[in-house]
Amino acid sequence: MPSSRRITLKDLARELGVSTATVSNAFNRPDQLSPKLREHILTEAQRLGYSGPDAQARSLRTGRSRIIAVILAESLTYSLNDAVSSELLSGIAEVLDTRGHTLLLLSGRQNAASVPGASSIADGFIIYGLMPSLKLLSDLPAERPLVAVDFSIEDHANVHIDNEPACYAIARHALKVPTRRPAVVNLRLTEQPCNGRIGDGQTLLPAERTITRARLAGFQRAFVEAGIDPAEVPMWNIEENTFDVCTPVIEEILDLPDAERPDLLLCMSDRIALTVLTLAEQRGLRIPEDLRITGFDGIAEGQYRAPQLTTVRQDSTEKGRIAARMILGMEPAEPRVMATELLIGDTCP
Amino acid sequence: MPSSRRITLKDLARELGVSTATVSNAFNRPDQLSPKLREHILTEAQRLGYSGPDAQARSLRTGRSRIIAVILAESLTYSLNDAVSSELLSGIAEVLDTRGHTLLLLSGRQNAASVPGASSIADGFIIYGLMPSLKLLSDLPAERPLVAVDFSIEDHANVHIDNEPACYAIARHALKVPTRRPAVVNLRLTEQPCNGRIGDGQTLLPAERTITRARLAGFQRAFVEAGIDPAEVPMWNIEENTFDVCTPVIEEILDLPDAERPDLLLCMSDRIALTVLTLAEQRGLRIPEDLRITGFDGIAEGQYRAPQLTTVRQDSTEKGRIAARMILGMEPAEPRVMATELLIGDTCP
DNA sequence: CCATTAGGCTGTAACGATTTAGTTAGCAGC
DNA sequence: GCTGCTAACTAAATCGTTACAGCCTAATGG
């Protein structure tokens, strides 16, 4: 009895009087040895408490770990609580799981230091959202597959939606009903952090930097088409897509004097729209008579409620599935645009 | 130029004319070599595109990977979309991240086969919820730390809440107002899958098997105290804590003839309670006049809305933080009970 | 001035597997 | 009986690190 130490493939081989290669083959290449011997090795392994080749050592030797890393632009805390990124992760996990791969979660934001470390371990990378530092990407091993989600990296596959047309469509829908005071609630759109009204001082992020810029462009096209000067439409900005961060800004909007309060709010996310809805209901505003609201994303929370949110649905779960399948080589790794769907609910019929 | 192949520590050492041990020390143990040489090695490494020791090989050698595996009883798809487990994960991730560890997600349900494989890679395990197969646990390396969440494993640390008293408290609150027809909506409580009314045929899961059994016990204690015979209280069962699975059962309840429809529904989760709320509102029932509703969990979705849910709050995020800290040895690994808080909202004032 | 000590570095054996290139043994064919 | 072939197995190299034991030099202490 060698005892104490965990039993290894080598121990097992010695015990059985065969070579380590044969034991390895018993686990990995059944055709390389007689069925009888294989059976014997497997049962002995079981008996001695050997539960298969060590993943660590195997990965070192083979260069494959069956681990796919998802690198999230936001913090893990945010990403796990946000419905959109949760759905994405869920889609990814679903596909990986069926193919025997596992999911390693990394944030490019907080502890970006652990990314290069962990990077050498993963077989492939799914990058969600534009990283604060693109430098991080250059640390990833060039030979392993990489799929960008909701943005694009040169020479790599990606999955995303077409934000501008989607927002044009919902704004056009909303503007069918005459509006006196439309307004837009943006999501992280300003160069400098700004949680509130966007005034003359602020400059917007460069267009290539953000998907929300494309969403705004869609809204604005619809405004122009409806004969409204986009420059006249008041805009607010939200720094983080959470209820807590939205609240003060939405309160500022809803607590404007009646004559100034918008009667239509185009929001860049369902989270924002739901915050508007909750706070508006608390203030006794009638939806949609006093205030029409649109969101973006189509998260469950906005649909499984009364009144139901009018929004654009993007299938984040499917987006995750596609990204995962591309990484695993189950479908061609190329730039891909997904369709969106206009969901007309009760908040802006 | 050796070219093509990724550059290794050994290459770097050769290039610099020092031993591999020294290069290794430059990265890991600054005190083992002169600052000057260290500086030199580090800049040369940068120049040659060497981004630090390979995680795979390091782990094999040191036996530590800085990876913590979370094994979830439910599928990853469910766990990522469910607010309670998302919050738990988020708390775990928060702590791991600050300590330079990363998070590997595994499901004990679907592809349990990948668990033993991935298991040898992780430095520690957080197990959330009772596994379908306890056998799985025996495959985990005995010497590595393990923390159970929401249940307990002999000889291991755990974090959980006291379900019985928490449910007693909320039921007691709810029963202060006279009720003609109270009812309970359980969560996965029957031996055989049953999505609907619990009749005489069904037997409940054994008490040690499930936390929902403890919740029911709490409700029932309050019933007895209020002079209501628990056997007279109708019960329904829900198989999965999602809107889609809840819906038909809740519809069945709400569509009962007026005389039979409950006027108080004690629900075992906020998801169930929110489904009740949505469907009740759609049917024009007045909350709480026609129907009083209580939930369990205290998820954000139930609080950041109008009407606000009456429920028991458990701090799942903090639960996750605690589990992670125990795993990392930042606090004593021992059985631990967390407090809950009664949140009195509008659905059962 | 010799013995110690300490600092700074090297050589090399693991870590636990997989893989390549053999080496047998057995059997068929002529 | 010899050749050639296949099936079944083995020996040894390798994956990229880290850790341990040691070696050399310079400095310190008595």
Side-chain angles (χ1 to χ4, degrees):
Chain A
M1 281 277 146
S3 85
S4 86
R5 229 182 65 267
R6 198 156 53 90
I7 187 170
T8 73
L9 183 145
K10 201 197 259 174
D11 298 332
L12 185 53
R14 193 178 337 95
E15 196 77 17
L16 292 174
V18 297
S19 77
T20 62
T22 300
V23 178
S24 174
N25 284 333
F27 283 97
N28 303 313
R29 297 146 64 145
D31 56 314
Q32 295 294 302
L33 73 175
S34 65
K36 197 179 129 196
L37 179 56
R38 180 173 131 93
E39 197 54 37
H40 180 219
I41 291 177
L42 260 35
T43 58
E44 278 303 284
Q46 182 102 47
R47 197 177 63 77
L48 296 174
Y50 178 76
S51 52
D54 178 83
Q56 214 78 267
R58 159 184 286 170
S59 303
L60 175 59
R61 184 60 239 247
T62 62
R64 255 161 300 112
S65 60
R66 303 187 80 79
I67 291 179
I68 302 295
V70 177
I71 307 183
L72 300 143
E74 304 289 332
S75 72
L76 292 185
T77 303
Y78 172 83
S79 302
L80 286 164
N81 283 319
D82 177 64
V84 176
S85 42
S86 288
E87 280 179 27
L88 180 87
L89 288 173
S90 150
I92 294 172
E94 183 188 318
V95 171
L96 294 188
D97 217 46
T98 63
R99 308 284 290 210
H101 285 249
T102 52
L103 180 56
L104 186 70
L105 250 36
L106 299 172
S107 165
R109 175 165 290 250
Q110 288 163 287
N111 199 345
S114 66
V115 172
S119 74
S120 61
I121 212 179
D123 288 349
F125 301 89
I126 296 175
I127 320 269
Y128 179 49
L130 197 60
M131 291 296 126
S133 148
L134 277 169
K135 178 192 161 305
L136 190 145
L137 297 180
S138 62
D139 279 346
L140 302 182
E143 72 281 7
R144 297 192 209 159
L146 188 160
V147 172
V149 175
D150 277 5
F151 76 116
S152 65
I153 304 176
E154 218 174 340
D155 300 330
H156 285 287
N158 67 62
V159 203
H160 61 97
I161 56 168
D162 235 343
N163 287 283
E164 198 273 350
C167 282
Y168 167 71
I170 194 168
R172 205 166 87 111
H173 165 76
L175 293 171
K176 277 181 196 154
V177 175
T179 167
R180 288 172 297 104
R181 304 193 154 272
V184 175
V185 189
N186 298 292
L187 187 54
R188 211 168 310 151
L189 195 60
T190 55
E191 192 79 61
Q192 301 303 321
C194 155
N195 209 48
R197 178 86 185 247
I198 299 183
D200 293 337
Q202 287 96 352
T203 52
L204 303 189
L205 286 171
E208 72 278 9
R209 280 273 306 162
T210 164
I211 58 174
T212 50
R213 186 73 187 258
R215 292 190 186 169
L216 179 58
F219 290 157
Q220 293 184 331
R221 178 151 64 99
F223 281 135
V224 170
E225 205 178 277
I228 299 171
D229 177 4
E232 297 292 312
V233 175
M235 301 208 296
W236 279 264
N237 188 60
I238 302 267
E239 277 302 312
E240 191 188 61
N241 194 38
T242 58
F243 188 87
D244 286 340
V245 174
C246 288
T247 298
V249 180
I250 304 305
E251 283 176 339
E252 178 187 322
I253 300 174
L254 297 182
D255 291 341
L256 285 171
D258 276 8
E260 288 177 46
R261 183 168 9 85
D263 62 346
L264 169 65
L265 279 177
L266 303 179
C267 305
M268 283 205 184
S269 77
D270 280 358
R271 173 59 52 215
I272 299 174
L274 286 167
T275 307
V276 172
L277 187 51
T278 299
L279 296 178
E281 284 178 336
Q282 282 177 2
R283 281 161 177 69
L285 293 176
R286 290 167 309 155
I287 311 293
E289 295 80 2
D290 298 336
L291 176 63
R292 295 161 67 82
I293 309 168
T294 71
F296 197 101
D297 289 334
I299 65 177
E301 188 178 338
Q303 297 306 303
Y304 292 150
R305 80 185 307 292
Q308 186 186 349
L309 209 56
T310 296
T311 191
V312 171
R313 167 167 165 74
Q314 60 170 326
D315 192 339
S316 298
T317 305
E318 181 63 13
K319 207 192 268 178
R321 288 193 201 104
I322 292 172
R325 286 199 291 254
M326 282 182 179
I327 281 291
L328 297 182
M330 297 165 68
E331 62 180 81
E334 57 194 15
R336 173 143 171 200
V337 182
M338 292 183 65
T340 56
E341 183 190 358
L342 185 56
L343 294 182
I344 300 178
D346 309 315
T347 62
C348 183
Chain B
M1 281 278 147
S3 83
S4 84
R5 230 182 64 269
R6 199 157 52 89
I7 187 171
T8 73
L9 184 144
K10 201 196 258 174
D11 298 332
L12 186 54
R14 192 177 339 94
E15 197 78 16
L16 290 175
V18 298
S19 78
T20 62
T22 300
V23 178
S24 174
N25 284 334
F27 282 96
N28 302 313
R29 297 146 64 144
D31 56 314
Q32 294 294 301
L33 73 174
S34 65
K36 199 180 128 194
L37 178 57
R38 180 172 131 93
E39 197 55 37
H40 181 219
I41 292 176
L42 259 36
T43 58
E44 278 302 284
Q46 182 103 46
R47 197 177 62 76
L48 296 174
Y50 178 75
S51 52
D54 178 84
Q56 213 79 266
R58 160 184 285 169
S59 303
L60 175 58
R61 185 59 239 244
T62 62
R64 254 161 302 112
S65 60
R66 303 188 80 79
I67 291 178
I68 302 296
V70 177
I71 307 182
L72 300 143
E74 304 288 333
S75 73
L76 292 186
T77 303
Y78 171 84
S79 303
L80 286 165
N81 283 320
D82 177 64
V84 176
S85 42
S86 288
E87 279 178 28
L88 180 87
L89 288 173
S90 150
I92 294 171
E94 183 187 317
V95 171
L96 294 188
D97 217 46
T98 63
R99 307 284 290 210
H101 285 249
T102 53
L103 181 56
L104 186 71
L105 252 36
L106 299 172
S107 165
R109 176 165 289 250
Q110 288 163 288
N111 198 344
S114 67
V115 172
S119 74
S120 62
I121 211 179
D123 289 349
F125 302 89
I126 295 174
I127 320 269
Y128 180 48
L130 197 60
M131 292 296 125
S133 148
L134 278 169
K135 178 192 162 303
L136 191 145
L137 297 180
S138 62
D139 280 345
L140 302 182
E143 72 282 8
R144 298 194 208 156
L146 187 161
V147 172
V149 175
D150 277 4
F151 75 117
S152 65
I153 304 176
E154 216 175 342
D155 299 330
H156 285 287
N158 67 62
V159 203
H160 61 97
I161 57 169
D162 234 344
N163 287 283
E164 199 273 349
C167 282
Y168 167 70
I170 194 168
R172 205 166 88 112
H173 165 76
L175 293 171
K176 276 181 197 154
V177 175
T179 167
R180 288 173 297 106
R181 304 194 154 272
V184 175
V185 188
N186 297 292
L187 187 55
R188 207 163 318 145
L189 194 60
T190 55
E191 191 81 60
Q192 300 302 321
C194 155
N195 209 48
R197 178 85 184 247
I198 300 183
D200 292 337
Q202 287 96 352
T203 53
L204 303 190
L205 285 172
E208 73 278 9
R209 279 273 306 162
T210 164
I211 58 175
T212 51
R213 186 73 188 258
R215 292 190 188 169
L216 179 58
F219 289 158
Q220 293 183 331
R221 178 151 63 99
F223 281 135
V224 170
E225 203 178 278
I228 300 172
D229 178 3
E232 297 292 312
V233 175
M235 300 208 296
W236 279 264
N237 188 60
I238 302 266
E239 277 301 313
E240 191 188 60
N241 194 38
T242 59
F243 187 88
D244 287 340
V245 174
C246 288
T247 298
V249 180
I250 304 304
E251 283 175 339
E252 177 187 321
I253 300 175
L254 297 182
D255 291 341
L256 284 171
D258 276 8
E260 288 177 44
R261 182 168 11 84
D263 62 346
L264 169 65
L265 279 177
L266 302 179
C267 306
M268 283 203 184
S269 78
D270 280 359
R271 173 60 52 218
I272 299 174
L274 286 168
T275 307
V276 172
L277 187 50
T278 298
L279 296 177
E281 284 178 337
Q282 281 177 3
R283 281 161 177 69
L285 293 176
R286 290 167 308 155
I287 311 293
E289 294 80 2
D290 298 336
L291 176 62
R292 297 161 67 81
I293 309 167
T294 70
F296 197 100
D297 290 332
I299 65 177
E301 189 178 340
Q303 297 307 304
Y304 293 151
R305 79 185 307 292
Q308 187 187 347
L309 208 57
T310 296
T311 191
V312 171
R313 167 165 166 74
Q314 60 170 327
D315 192 339
S316 298
T317 305
E318 182 63 14
K319 209 192 267 176
R321 288 192 202 105
I322 292 172
R325 285 199 291 255
M326 282 182 179
I327 281 290
L328 297 183
M330 297 165 68
E331 62 181 79
E334 57 193 18
R336 175 146 170 197
V337 182
M338 289 183 66
T340 55
E341 183 190 357
L342 184 56
L343 294 182
I344 300 178
D346 310 314
T347 61
C348 183

